[in-house]
Amino acid sequence: VSMKNLYVKNAYTTQKGDSKGAISLYCTVNGVEIQVRTIVLRDAEGNLITQDQFIGKTIDVKGTIDYYLPEGATTGTYQIQVFSIDDVTFHD
């Protein structure tokens, strides 16, 4: 799935476990909230890409639809799972 013109209003980076460094992006587009989840992302030089590189930016993404159910929760959230920084386009 792909989505365009997502404004990243907030983000959270996982701090522990197997997904340490993965980022949840909390976005809006046309008044609708969309959650995007990344794996641990690195740039071409191998440097870790952080949430600060996303917050306040408008992006297009390509990924798969995933359902996240937090531990102990009874309802979860659908999100777009992004597997590569190449699947993210930043607007100028």
Side-chain angles (χ1 to χ4, degrees):
V1 68
S2 63
M3 288 200 78
K4 296 181 181 269
N5 299 313
L6 298 168
Y7 176 75
V8 183
K9 61 180 186 172
N10 204 353
Y12 170 78
T13 301
T14 303
Q15 300 297 319
K16 59 184 177 178
D18 292 339
S19 59
K20 181 178 179 180
I23 306 168
S24 293
L25 303 172
Y26 302 97
C27 308
T28 58
V29 60
N30 297 326
V32 177
E33 293 193 11
I34 304 291
Q35 188 170 323
V36 175
R37 175 75 173 174
T38 75
I39 61 169
V40 177
L41 298 174
R42 297 192 178 274
D43 64 19
E45 288 80 37
N47 299 310
L48 185 67
I49 295 172
T50 67
Q51 69 184 37
D52 294 337
Q53 292 169 270
F54 291 96
I55 296 174
K57 305 279 176 54
T58 299
I59 60 174
D60 301 339
V61 297
K62 294 180 199 170
T64 61
I65 299 292
D66 191 25
Y67 185 75
Y68 173 65
L69 182 63
E71 186 176 328
T74 57
T75 59
T77 304
Y78 285 99
Q79 55 191 8
I80 300 172
Q81 179 78 39
V82 173
F83 296 98
S84 169
I85 192 61
D86 294 334
D87 294 327
V88 179
T89 302
F90 289 85
H91 291 244
D92 290 332

